[in-house]
Amino acid sequence: MTAVEVVRASVVRAPRDEVWARVVTADGVSDEFRPLLRMRFPARLAGASIADVPLGRPIGRAWILLGGVIPVEYDDLVLVDLEAPRFFQERSELGSCRVWEHRRELESLADGSTRVTDTLRAVPRALVPGSVVRVVVGALFAHRHRRIAREFG
């Protein structure tokens, strides 16, 4: 199966450290999915930042819930690289994808704002067409970027 790649970038009117402090928490990530979806992280991540987890080891299964209730996808989370507050990279397995790589980079801009760039690479499972994954991931991350921008005004 061919890999699908999606890149989304936006500028947020807040300093990088402030944006980082939000986007690496379970609450921050889950908020990016709202209102239709919610991401429920493993209990051991409650109140933690991804900056607190060991690299290269499974963190646990996070569920993506439609309406905050109905499981529609899972993510077996593994953080493989991190340099706070510049970037993190996840390489995981999803229900729909054999491989899911998500790299989020935060770049400080001269005016004090932050460029947020998400690069997603997915290898869909045999029954999931790559075109469907591309459309869904593209729409989901466009939504997440709108939510981040709204969070910081």
Side-chain angles (χ1 to χ4, degrees):
M1 182 84 29
T2 304
V4 171
E5 185 169 291
V6 174
V7 178
R8 289 286 180 268
S10 58
V11 175
V12 175
R13 287 186 257 175
R16 180 172 66 182
D17 288 345
E18 189 176 325
V19 176
W20 178 264
R22 180 71 177 160
V23 302
V24 296
T25 64
D27 286 345
V29 173
S30 191
D31 186 61
E32 291 177 29
F33 282 92
R34 286 189 177 99
L36 293 178
L37 300 171
R38 182 172 68 86
M39 192 163 191
R40 187 179 69 207
F41 286 85
R44 70 184 204 174
L45 285 181
S49 161
I50 65 163
D52 301 329
V53 302
L55 296 178
R57 291 195 200 148
I59 298 168
R61 181 165 284 182
W63 286 95
I64 298 176
L65 308 169
L66 180 64
V69 179
I70 302 166
V72 293
E73 178 66 286
Y74 68 83
D75 185 345
D76 285 334
L77 295 164
V78 179
L79 189 66
V80 295
D81 202 4
L82 178 138
E83 186 182 312
R86 289 188 53 239
F87 71 88
F88 67 81
Q89 185 163 340
E90 166 199 359
R91 183 178 169 93
S92 304
E93 185 175 317
L94 275 62
S96 61
C97 298
R98 290 185 298 115
V99 177
W100 172 260
E101 294 177 337
H102 174 205
R103 181 177 177 95
R104 176 166 278 180
E105 297 182 61
L106 303 183
E107 177 188 356
S108 291
L109 301 177
D111 66 357
S113 60
T114 302
R115 178 176 292 115
V116 179
T117 303
D118 286 300
T119 303
L120 300 306
R121 183 180 165 275
V123 179
R125 295 193 186 276
L127 297 177
V128 182
S131 59
V132 171
V133 171
R134 180 176 286 107
V135 167
V136 170
V137 170
L140 177 62
F141 274 83
H143 172 75
R144 289 182 70 176
H145 277 248
R146 285 190 300 274
R147 296 282 299 174
I148 293 168
R150 185 177 303 138
E151 173 72 22
F152 292 101

